Amino acid sequence: MIDVQDLVVSYGTATALDHLTLTVAKGEMVALLGPNGAGKSTLANTLAGLLEPASGTVSVGGRLALIPEGRQLFPDLSVADNLALGGWRSGLRDPSSVYDLLPRLAELSGRRAGVLSGGEQQMVAFGRALMSRPEALVVDELSLGLAPNVTADLAAHLAGLNRTQGLTVLLIEQNARLAFELCSRAYVLESGRLVTEGACAELADDPRVASAYLGGA
Ligand code: ATP
């Protein structure tokens, strides 16, 4: 579903992704881990078509939606209007399927997005992505700035969609524990390059990964 081959993306003379190869099969839920500045958001934005590769290829075999880092909502618009913008390309006007899945959004529908809590805003960003009826979802830092119980709630919704609807997910995270709980496989990116990849169960036992991402081996 998501196929990235030998991808190079640069900002001027600075190379943010350096020959990255990564795949996510249809129905898979795969994590991309890495510290600040590793190039994770650059990949997300390239997959979403917002950045052009300098070389290499990116192909996505279905409709893809991005939950961007920092949510990127329109703060002065209502929740309902933010959701409607997500349905602009798919033609989905009626948010009821999203409200069925995330009932809290129906309660919040008339509120301005900018006054909501971080967790509520992330839920709006999630709902907005679903309005585009995606077959694949790239989630850039689901857990950033959220309380653990709020993150767990959103993660459960994500896992449910993957299980019941076969939604393909690339989960970009700094929180390796969360990523390992949700995903079957993971890639680890540092300074634009893959340092390791594999089954989460094996990566969690890798001392390099454990010390860097799990707070000690
Ligand atoms: P974070 O979690 O902090 O967002 P990240 O892994 O998503 O980190 P990127 O945001 O993709 O990393 O950044 C990768 C590299 O590209 C970093 O060195 C960053 O400084 C640089 N970079 C990102 N955006 C730009 C930009 N618009 N112009 C120039 N350099 C940029």
Side-chain angles (χ1 to χ4, degrees):
M1 177 68 85
I2 295 174
D3 187 15
V4 173
Q5 295 290 331
D6 213 20
L7 177 67
V8 178
V9 180
S10 305
Y11 298 99
T13 55
T15 302
L17 291 176
D18 192 1
H19 298 278
L20 174 67
T21 293
L22 163 161
T23 60
V24 186
K26 193 168 164 43
E28 232 189 343
M29 197 154 168
V30 171
L32 178 66
L33 302 172
N36 283 332
K40 305 183 299 301
S41 295
T42 300
L43 177 66
N45 291 330
T46 308
L47 287 170
L50 302 170
L51 290 171
E52 281 287 321
S55 65
T57 58
V58 166
S59 93
V60 181
R63 278 185 308 278
L64 178 126
L66 169 67
I67 302 182
E69 186 172 358
R71 347 290 187 214
Q72 312 289 350
L73 302 177
F74 288 92
D76 294 328
L77 295 186
S78 67
V79 167
D81 286 345
N82 271 280
L83 292 179
L85 286 169
W88 180 69
R89 263 166 84 184
S90 68
L92 184 63
R93 299 274 171 264
D94 179 2
S96 56
S97 59
V98 170
Y99 290 157
D100 287 346
L101 196 75
L102 303 168
R104 180 84 183 115
L105 289 183
E107 296 167 21
L108 296 170
S109 63
R111 303 273 300 278
R112 279 199 316 117
V115 303
L116 304 180
S117 70
E120 289 167 340
Q121 291 194 15
Q122 189 65 298
M123 193 172 280
V124 178
F126 193 178
R128 178 183 59 186
L130 296 180
M131 287 291 289
S132 69
R133 300 186 203 245
E135 294 155 277
L137 191 58
V138 176
V139 188
D140 195 355
E141 307 275 8
L142 181 76
S143 69
L144 196 70
L146 302 184
N149 62 328
V150 175
T151 301
D153 183 40
L154 288 168
H157 283 298
L158 201 55
L161 283 171
N162 170 258
R163 202 173 46 246
T164 61
Q165 297 182 22
L167 182 71
T168 303
V169 179
L170 178 64
L171 186 74
I172 297 177
E173 261 304 326
Q174 291 200 35
N175 179 342
R177 272 179 222 288
L178 175 72
F180 288 168
E181 257 173 52
L182 289 175
C183 298
S184 51
R185 292 193 299 124
Y187 293 87
V188 181
L189 190 67
E190 284 176 15
S191 306
R193 294 185 183 185
L194 274 187
V195 287
T196 183
E197 63 177 280
C200 290
E202 285 160 26
L203 287 180
D205 287 338
D206 180 330
R208 287 175 309 163
V209 173
S211 65
Y213 297 101
L214 296 172

